[in-house]
Amino acid sequence: MDDPFSLDDPEPGPVPEVLPPWLDALNPEQRLAVTTTEGPVLVLSGAGTGKTRVLTCRLAYLLATRPVRPWRILAVTFTNKAAREMRERAAALIGPDAEQVWLGTFHALGVRLLRRHGERVGLRPGFTILDTDDQVRLLKQIMEVENLDLKRWQPAVAMSLIQRWKDRGLCFDALPADAPGRDFAAGRLPDLYRQYQERLLVVNAVDFGDLLLHGLTLFTKHPDVLAEVGGQFQYILVDEYQDTNVAQYLWLRLLARAHGNLCCVGDDDQSIYSWRGAAVGNILRFEQDFPGATVVRLERNYRSTSTILAAASGLIGHNKARMGKDLRAADETRDPGAPITVWGVWDGAEEARRVVEEAEALQRAGEPLNSMAILVRVGFQTREFEERLIVSGTPYRVIGGPRFYERQEIRDALAYLRLAAQPDDSLAFERVVNTPRRGLGPTTIQILNRVARLERISLPEAARRVVETDELRPAARRSLRAFLEDLSRWRALADGLDPAALCGTILDESGYVDMWRADKAPDAEGRVENLKELVGALKEFDSLIGFLEHVSLVMDNEARAAEDALTLMTLHGAKGLEFDTVFLPGWEEELFPHRRALEENGVEGLEEERRLAYVGLTRARRRVFISFAGSRRVFADWRSCLPSRFLDELPPEVVETDTARGLVGSGAQGLSNAPGGWGRVGGPGTVSGEGGIRRPSPGWSAPPTRPTPASAFKAGDRVSHESFGLGTVREVSGDRLDIAFDTAGPRKVMAAFVTLAR
């Protein structure tokens, strides 16, 4: 439908007397969830219980048996992919009517709502939707006008806090006194929020948070809009309800007010995205928010063995904030399957070796690699597995992110190390010369590249020559000279320090790790952890050159063309997927449950970590291997590890332990000491801004491809420089000229940038 809110609704056809035959294929609980169409319904759908099938069949059942037009049904999913899958499945059951159902994401519905009623909130036709970069850029402009220190109060952090307020449905004029982040920028963030929203209206734009927030404004301040939209949709279906944020929850309450026909499908035991704004309380309060609601529990699992289900149910049963359900195998006559195998190993390298060897043994027994997955708690854990897989020649794929050595922060760190090993590495130099920011922007890089190209020298050598001239403004020249001095010092240290210590020193003194520590983006802490893991990896090498050669070989190991490859990914990324065999490494205190989750969120954080463990267990169809290390190199330091408390919470009757090393069964009696730091911290601060770099005047032209050699000039020659204009040569020294410019005064410049005046 071009207009989803049109009330032009002719009478539907008669309801068929014969029920659809596909209902017979549903189990009793699924059938109840599908056929209970009136009033509020909550379907608690455990892992592997046929959630998508229930949603699809419910949609088809409404169209086949109820006097309702397709466009009066709203089905909300969290991804466009899920929406397409549901529509295709529904079309296979009932035909083309499924194409007319309004099926999409919350944000897509918000766009259509604002296209129709945007003028009510100050928008004009044709408004644009800003991406993340544009949002931060707009807020940065406002903060600059307010004379805020952008190094201390980063615009990206401010934007993240504002978006979190929007996720909670909070406008700038309705922020509670205890709103998280309200004290940011010395308490000025609420006013920055106000100015940001006003500026958005001026430029006729919205961000993704506005797609929901403006909708709430329309519904609460314009009753006619709510009546129109709420009256349009007679039935509402919601997928993944446990992942809704507060704004989405408020949308649903308002839209369902007219008819109450709201069906939400979700699993409180799989709510693992609080860091994205998801509020598990939305699903836990459903019966309070919608009195008289029908709650249907789907507990028959069609995926996993009864042994795996017993382990998952026993573990998640330790959570207090849950509605409660017990998974059981749909076919209880099936073989209960192999027990959960728990390995205790000496260290992370031994863990990686054992996991890969087990995967290879299963492959030799006929199980394809693409039916196996290694699911880690945090991204840095992937490094040891990747290196072991490469050494063994086992094909693998990393899902949900780049391979370890392909991550941005690791590539940056490697560029610094390459410069310590090879002073004329132009590519490495260009990558990090202004990372962190040193006031050496595109204009500086352009000048250096031109010198390097014309003189046929490396970029670092061009920099060493340019700092002795006046091509750059003083601030940029000082910054570049300081960077070159740092590079020289680190190269000198490379002969006396071991590679790990050298890497730690470089990352600290360059300010690179501090840059990520100060960044409040959701992935920033993970980047710091990856950098620490890199330092730890260097401890295994005697020389920096040897390590860099090793990395080159690793990065040259292309993914094999064949699809049969073992999957390596995080637990968060694995939700919704399934594999025959799942390996769950790193079940240790402070790693899983993660220390940060416990420190920041207490009991709520622990329960979300336990839900994450539950998700990991229920990804497996046939077998699960859990491992933990007695000691682990966490980033750059070794530490003793305690087994995760989650191991003690697994029902002992379904667990098979490897006691050969005496590591299993010791329990989790408390948290171990925090891992050590970088050794050297608090390096020099970074310099931001362009540093006053002189930009070429309009209409300047590049020097000739073959520059005039310095030997062609002599004292007294009249010459022309693209930035400084006309001047007279005073002295020739190597490839540099000392020139008295008519307007710019005396300057030392590269001969490559000068031509004889005509």
Side-chain angles (χ1 to χ4, degrees):
M1 298 289 292
D2 292 335
D3 185 356
F5 308 125
S6 172
L7 295 181
D8 182 14
D9 189 16
E11 287 298 318
V15 177
E17 297 181 1
V18 180
L19 292 177
W22 38 261
L23 278 178
D24 296 333
L26 304 177
N27 68 41
E29 295 81 19
Q30 291 175 333
R31 186 179 178 115
L32 178 63
V34 167
T35 58
T36 306
T37 59
E38 307 306 306
V41 178
L42 175 62
V43 181
L44 284 176
S45 180
T49 58
K51 169 181 69 71
T52 303
R53 185 181 194 183
V54 166
L55 274 168
T56 303
C57 288
R58 183 180 175 90
L59 177 59
Y61 183 80
L62 287 170
L63 293 172
T65 67
R66 289 291 180 271
V68 58
R69 289 297 187 184
W71 51 86
R72 301 203 66 177
I73 299 174
L74 170 65
V76 183
T77 64
F78 269 79
T79 66
N80 291 318
K81 179 181 177 182
R84 287 194 300 270
E85 181 181 356
M86 190 184 303
R87 191 184 301 278
E88 289 169 0
R89 290 195 184 191
L93 294 177
I94 59 170
D97 277 358
E99 294 297 324
Q100 301 182 65
V101 173
W102 204 98
L103 207 164
T105 64
F106 280 100
H107 290 100
L109 179 62
V111 170
R112 290 201 178 186
L113 178 64
L114 292 180
R115 293 295 181 202
R116 183 177 178 89
H117 297 290
E119 75 284 351
R120 304 278 193 104
V121 292
L123 294 171
R124 302 183 298 280
F127 64 83
T128 58
I129 303 172
L130 300 186
D131 61 20
T132 302
D133 289 342
D134 287 337
Q135 295 167 27
V136 173
R137 189 177 299 111
L138 182 59
L139 184 60
K140 179 182 178 181
Q141 294 171 2
I142 295 169
M143 296 175 73
E144 287 174 339
V145 171
E146 292 293 313
N147 295 316
L148 286 168
D149 183 349
L150 299 188
K151 289 192 292 183
R152 182 180 181 188
W153 311 111
Q154 297 181 42
V157 178
M159 194 72 256
S160 177
L161 292 169
I162 289 173
Q163 291 301 332
R164 183 58 65 93
W165 288 342
K166 292 186 178 185
D167 288 343
R168 296 178 60 189
L170 297 174
C171 297
F172 61 82
D173 56 355
L175 290 172
D178 60 348
R182 188 171 182 132
D183 58 347
F184 184 86
R188 297 170 67 180
L189 188 57
D191 185 61
L192 294 175
Y193 181 14
R194 175 189 62 79
Q195 294 186 54
Y196 172 73
Q197 291 301 106
E198 292 174 350
R199 185 62 182 166
L200 283 174
L201 292 180
V202 170
V203 300
N204 198 33
V206 297
D207 59 30
F208 277 93
D210 288 327
L211 297 178
L212 298 177
L213 192 63
H214 283 324
L216 287 176
T217 300
L218 287 170
F219 292 157
T220 55
K221 296 187 177 181
H222 303 278
D224 59 316
V225 175
L226 177 60
E228 177 184 333
V229 180
Q232 167 69 32
F233 298 122
Q234 188 174 342
Y235 293 94
I236 301 175
L237 287 72
V238 184
D239 189 15
E240 302 286 10
Y241 187 61
Q242 79 280 349
D243 293 335
T244 53
N245 59 36
V246 174
Q248 291 161 342
Y249 159 79
L250 294 173
W251 262 65
L252 294 172
R253 287 199 65 179
L254 291 166
L255 288 177
R257 181 181 294 173
H259 49 72
N261 295 329
L262 173 67
C263 176
C264 297
V265 181
D267 184 3
D268 54 326
D269 291 334
Q270 295 189 74
S271 179
I272 58 174
Y273 297 123
S274 63
W275 47 278
R276 291 182 183 171
V280 67
N282 293 349
I283 194 169
L284 297 178
R285 292 193 310 269
F286 191 88
E287 291 179 281
Q288 300 173 18
D289 294 333
F290 302 97
T294 300
V295 178
V296 181
R297 287 173 168 80
L298 303 183
E299 299 172 312
R300 301 192 195 200
N301 179 282
Y302 293 87
R303 175 189 302 158
S304 307
T305 65
S306 59
T307 297
I308 293 172
L309 298 178
S313 294
L315 175 68
I316 200 63
H318 287 78
N319 271 8
K320 304 301 181 185
R322 62 189 296 259
M323 299 187 71
K325 59 184 176 303
D326 291 308
L327 293 180
R328 64 184 186 275
D331 182 0
E332 297 181 351
T333 65
R334 283 179 56 195
D335 180 353
I340 307 298
T341 302
V342 178
W343 292 328
V345 297
W346 286 117
D347 56 27
E350 169 76 3
E351 179 179 56
R353 181 191 65 77
R354 191 157 186 186
V355 166
V356 173
E357 287 179 353
E358 184 65 33
E360 291 174 332
L362 290 170
Q363 183 190 29
R364 288 193 296 270
E367 182 169 335
L369 288 173
N370 59 15
S371 70
M372 309 178 211
I374 303 172
L375 308 181
V376 299
R377 172 59 182 87
V378 286
F380 76 81
Q381 289 177 264
T382 66
R383 183 193 63 83
E384 285 185 311
F385 289 101
E386 287 189 62
E387 297 200 349
R388 185 66 199 180
L389 289 162
I390 289 169
V391 168
S392 67
T394 305
Y396 73 98
R397 63 173 67 90
V398 178
I399 305 297
R403 299 185 178 200
F404 183 82
Y405 289 111
E406 294 172 350
R407 291 177 167 92
Q408 173 192 341
E409 65 277 10
I410 300 302
R411 283 184 176 272
D412 288 346
L414 290 174
Y416 276 109
L417 293 176
R418 284 162 53 189
L419 286 169
Q422 170 50 263
D424 287 316
D425 190 326
S426 294
L427 293 177
F429 183 89
E430 186 168 11
R431 184 177 183 95
V432 297
V433 66
N434 199 39
T435 304
R437 292 186 182 278
R438 299 183 175 92
L440 304 172
T443 302
T444 299
I445 304 305
Q446 183 183 62
I447 290 173
L448 297 181
N449 270 311
R450 286 169 53 215
V451 172
R453 183 180 69 254
L454 295 172
E455 298 290 336
R456 293 184 173 89
I457 56 178
S458 69
L459 208 58
E461 177 60 26
R464 289 189 282 271
R465 296 189 186 186
V466 166
V467 295
E468 300 303 325
T469 72
D470 296 316
E471 300 292 345
L472 305 178
R473 287 234 177 138
R477 191 164 61 248
R478 287 193 299 270
S479 184
L480 183 58
R481 180 177 286 112
F483 180 60
L484 292 171
E485 291 171 352
D486 286 341
L487 292 179
S488 296
R489 184 175 66 259
W490 297 331
R491 281 195 295 274
L493 289 175
D495 295 331
L497 288 180
D498 63 80
L502 175 65
C503 183
T505 298
I506 291 175
L507 292 177
D508 281 331
E509 291 187 353
S510 66
Y512 187 77
V513 70
D514 286 336
M515 176 188 77
W516 287 116
R517 281 175 173 154
D519 194 322
K520 299 303 180 183
D523 62 345
E525 187 160 357
R527 293 182 188 272
V528 174
E529 291 177 343
N530 289 336
L531 291 168
K532 291 182 178 180
E533 178 66 14
L534 176 67
V535 175
L538 277 152
K539 287 185 180 260
E540 302 172 12
F541 293 84
D542 295 327
S543 72
L544 179 59
I545 295 296
F547 173 74
L548 292 174
E549 289 177 352
H550 166 76
V551 172
S552 296
L553 293 174
V554 168
M555 295 179 72
D556 189 53
N557 187 78
E558 297 292 337
R560 302 192 181 184
E563 293 185 357
D564 189 27
L566 189 149
T567 296
L568 181 58
M569 64 191 309
T570 65
L571 285 160
H572 282 99
K575 185 171 176 290
L577 303 178
E578 57 184 70
F579 306 89
D580 282 344
T581 300
V582 167
F583 297 95
L584 300 172
W587 280 40
E588 300 138 25
E589 288 293 317
E590 295 198 0
L591 184 55
F592 196 33
H594 200 280
R595 181 181 62 181
R596 184 175 68 249
L598 303 183
E599 290 177 345
E600 295 181 357
N601 299 304
V603 174
E604 291 181 1
L606 173 61
E607 294 208 342
E608 181 159 331
E609 290 287 290
R610 190 177 283 116
R611 292 194 292 268
L612 194 56
Y614 169 87
V615 167
L617 287 167
T618 54
R619 297 311 92 196
R621 289 188 285 255
R622 299 173 58 191
R623 58 183 73 86
V624 174
F625 296 90
I626 301 174
S627 56
F628 68 94
S631 62
R632 185 178 294 276
R633 177 174 280 155
V634 180
F635 313 132
D637 300 301
W638 284 98
R639 77 173 186 194
S640 296
C641 304
L642 290 172
S644 170
R645 68 190 74 189
F646 297 155
L647 292 172
D648 288 337
E649 296 174 356
L650 296 172
E653 63 273 14
V654 298
V655 175
E656 178 182 78
T657 59
D658 177 358
T659 58
R661 306 180 192 277
L663 294 174
V664 177
S666 59
Q669 302 300 322
L671 300 179
S672 61
N673 292 330
W678 286 86
R680 293 194 63 183
V681 295
T686 61
V687 181
S688 64
E690 282 291 308
I693 297 173
R694 180 181 295 277
R695 288 177 167 77
S697 57
W700 70 279
S701 59
T705 303
R706 293 184 178 273
T708 305
S711 59
F713 298 99
K714 63 181 184 300
D717 281 347
R718 289 291 286 173
V719 294
S720 174
H721 186 280
E722 59 200 33
S723 295
F724 303 138
L726 293 172
T728 302
V729 177
R730 300 195 303 181
E731 181 181 355
V732 179
S733 176
D735 58 358
R736 291 188 293 275
L737 306 177
D738 186 342
I739 301 173
F741 288 100
D742 297 349
T743 56
R747 304 274 179 166
K748 292 180 179 180
V749 299
M750 300 291 296
F753 287 167
V754 173
T755 57
L756 290 167
R758 296 175 181 176

Short mmCIF file of all heavy atoms in Angstrom, two decimals, residues 311-333:
data_model
loop_
_atom_site.label_atom_id
_atom_site.label_comp_id
_atom_site.label_asym_id
_atom_site.label_seq_id
_atom_site.Cartn_x
_atom_site.Cartn_y
_atom_site.Cartn_z
N ALA A 311 20.96 -28.81 30.28
CA ALA A 311 22.05 -27.94 30.72
C ALA A 311 21.65 -26.48 30.64
O ALA A 311 21.88 -25.70 31.57
CB ALA A 311 23.29 -28.20 29.86
N ALA A 312 21.03 -26.09 29.52
CA ALA A 312 20.62 -24.69 29.35
C ALA A 312 19.56 -24.29 30.36
O ALA A 312 19.62 -23.21 30.96
CB ALA A 312 20.11 -24.48 27.93
N SER A 313 18.57 -25.16 30.58
CA SER A 313 17.50 -24.85 31.53
C SER A 313 18.03 -24.77 32.95
O SER A 313 17.63 -23.91 33.73
CB SER A 313 16.39 -25.90 31.43
OG SER A 313 15.75 -25.85 30.17
N GLY A 314 18.96 -25.69 33.29
CA GLY A 314 19.53 -25.66 34.63
C GLY A 314 20.31 -24.39 34.89
O GLY A 314 20.26 -23.82 35.98
N LEU A 315 21.04 -23.94 33.88
CA LEU A 315 21.83 -22.72 34.02
C LEU A 315 20.94 -21.49 34.15
O LEU A 315 21.07 -20.71 35.09
CB LEU A 315 22.76 -22.57 32.82
CG LEU A 315 23.58 -21.28 32.74
CD1 LEU A 315 24.61 -21.24 33.86
CD2 LEU A 315 24.26 -21.15 31.39
N ILE A 316 20.01 -21.32 33.22
CA ILE A 316 19.20 -20.10 33.22
C ILE A 316 18.25 -20.05 34.40
O ILE A 316 17.79 -18.97 34.79
CB ILE A 316 18.41 -19.97 31.88
CG1 ILE A 316 17.98 -18.52 31.64
CG2 ILE A 316 17.22 -20.90 31.85
CD1 ILE A 316 19.12 -17.55 31.48
N GLY A 317 17.99 -21.20 35.00
CA GLY A 317 17.12 -21.23 36.18
C GLY A 317 17.68 -20.46 37.36
O GLY A 317 16.94 -20.16 38.31
N HIS A 318 18.96 -20.12 37.34
CA HIS A 318 19.55 -19.34 38.43
C HIS A 318 19.22 -17.85 38.32
O HIS A 318 19.51 -17.09 39.24
CB HIS A 318 21.07 -19.53 38.44
CG HIS A 318 21.50 -20.88 38.95
ND1 HIS A 318 21.44 -22.03 38.17
CD2 HIS A 318 21.96 -21.27 40.16
CE1 HIS A 318 21.89 -23.06 38.88
NE2 HIS A 318 22.20 -22.63 40.09
N ASN A 319 18.65 -17.43 37.19
CA ASN A 319 18.22 -16.03 37.06
C ASN A 319 16.92 -15.82 37.82
O ASN A 319 16.02 -16.66 37.78
CB ASN A 319 18.03 -15.66 35.59
CG ASN A 319 19.31 -15.14 34.95
OD1 ASN A 319 20.38 -15.19 35.56
ND2 ASN A 319 19.21 -14.65 33.73
N LYS A 320 16.80 -14.69 38.47
CA LYS A 320 15.58 -14.34 39.20
C LYS A 320 14.60 -13.55 38.32
O LYS A 320 13.39 -13.74 38.42
CB LYS A 320 15.93 -13.52 40.44
CG LYS A 320 16.92 -14.20 41.38
CD LYS A 320 16.41 -15.54 41.89
CE LYS A 320 17.43 -16.18 42.84
NZ LYS A 320 17.00 -17.55 43.25
N ALA A 321 15.14 -12.66 37.48
CA ALA A 321 14.29 -11.80 36.66
C ALA A 321 13.94 -12.54 35.37
O ALA A 321 14.56 -12.34 34.32
CB ALA A 321 14.99 -10.48 36.35
N ARG A 322 12.96 -13.45 35.47
CA ARG A 322 12.51 -14.18 34.28
C ARG A 322 11.10 -14.68 34.55
O ARG A 322 10.68 -14.84 35.68
CB ARG A 322 13.45 -15.33 33.93
CG ARG A 322 13.57 -16.41 34.98
CD ARG A 322 14.68 -17.41 34.65
NE ARG A 322 14.40 -18.16 33.43
CZ ARG A 322 13.93 -19.41 33.40
NH1 ARG A 322 13.63 -20.05 34.53
NH2 ARG A 322 13.73 -20.02 32.25
N MET A 323 10.37 -14.94 33.46
CA MET A 323 9.00 -15.41 33.59
C MET A 323 8.92 -16.92 33.79
O MET A 323 7.94 -17.42 34.29
CB MET A 323 8.18 -14.98 32.37
CG MET A 323 8.11 -13.47 32.20
SD MET A 323 7.00 -12.95 30.88
CE MET A 323 5.40 -13.32 31.61
N GLY A 324 9.95 -17.61 33.37
CA GLY A 324 10.03 -19.03 33.65
C GLY A 324 9.46 -19.93 32.56
O GLY A 324 8.31 -19.77 32.13
N LYS A 325 10.28 -20.86 32.11
CA LYS A 325 9.85 -21.92 31.19
C LYS A 325 10.96 -22.95 31.17
O LYS A 325 12.12 -22.65 31.49
CB LYS A 325 9.57 -21.38 29.79
CG LYS A 325 10.74 -20.71 29.13
CD LYS A 325 10.33 -20.14 27.80
CE LYS A 325 11.48 -19.37 27.15
NZ LYS A 325 12.00 -18.30 27.98
N ASP A 326 10.64 -24.16 30.80
CA ASP A 326 11.62 -25.24 30.76
C ASP A 326 11.62 -25.87 29.38
O ASP A 326 10.61 -26.45 28.95
CB ASP A 326 11.30 -26.31 31.82
CG ASP A 326 11.52 -25.80 33.23
OD1 ASP A 326 12.62 -25.27 33.51
OD2 ASP A 326 10.60 -25.92 34.07
N LEU A 327 12.73 -25.75 28.71
CA LEU A 327 12.84 -26.36 27.39
C LEU A 327 12.90 -27.88 27.49
O LEU A 327 13.54 -28.42 28.40
CB LEU A 327 14.10 -25.85 26.68
CG LEU A 327 14.14 -24.36 26.29
CD1 LEU A 327 15.46 -24.05 25.59
CD2 LEU A 327 12.97 -24.01 25.39
N ARG A 328 12.26 -28.53 26.56
CA ARG A 328 12.34 -29.98 26.48
C ARG A 328 12.34 -30.38 25.00
O ARG A 328 11.85 -29.64 24.15
CB ARG A 328 11.17 -30.64 27.21
CG ARG A 328 9.81 -30.33 26.61
CD ARG A 328 8.69 -30.94 27.45
NE ARG A 328 7.39 -30.79 26.82
CZ ARG A 328 6.63 -29.72 26.93
NH1 ARG A 328 7.05 -28.68 27.65
NH2 ARG A 328 5.44 -29.66 26.35
N ALA A 329 12.91 -31.54 24.73
CA ALA A 329 12.98 -32.00 23.35
C ALA A 329 11.59 -32.28 22.82
O ALA A 329 10.76 -32.90 23.51
CB ALA A 329 13.85 -33.25 23.25
N ALA A 330 11.32 -31.83 21.60
CA ALA A 330 10.00 -32.07 21.00
C ALA A 330 9.75 -33.56 20.85
O ALA A 330 8.61 -34.03 21.04
CB ALA A 330 9.91 -31.38 19.63
N ASP A 331 10.77 -34.33 20.54
CA ASP A 331 10.65 -35.78 20.44
C ASP A 331 11.40 -36.38 21.62
O ASP A 331 12.62 -36.55 21.59
CB ASP A 331 11.24 -36.27 19.11
CG ASP A 331 11.09 -37.78 18.94
OD1 ASP A 331 10.53 -38.43 19.84
OD2 ASP A 331 11.56 -38.30 17.90
N GLU A 332 10.66 -36.70 22.66
CA GLU A 332 11.30 -37.19 23.88
C GLU A 332 11.79 -38.62 23.76
O GLU A 332 12.44 -39.14 24.68
CB GLU A 332 10.33 -37.04 25.06
CG GLU A 332 9.98 -35.59 25.33
CD GLU A 332 9.04 -35.42 26.51
OE1 GLU A 332 8.54 -36.45 27.01
OE2 GLU A 332 8.83 -34.27 26.95
N THR A 333 11.50 -39.29 22.65
CA THR A 333 11.99 -40.65 22.44
C THR A 333 13.37 -40.66 21.78
O THR A 333 13.98 -41.72 21.66
CB THR A 333 11.00 -41.43 21.55
OG1 THR A 333 10.96 -40.85 20.23
CG2 THR A 333 9.60 -41.41 22.15
#
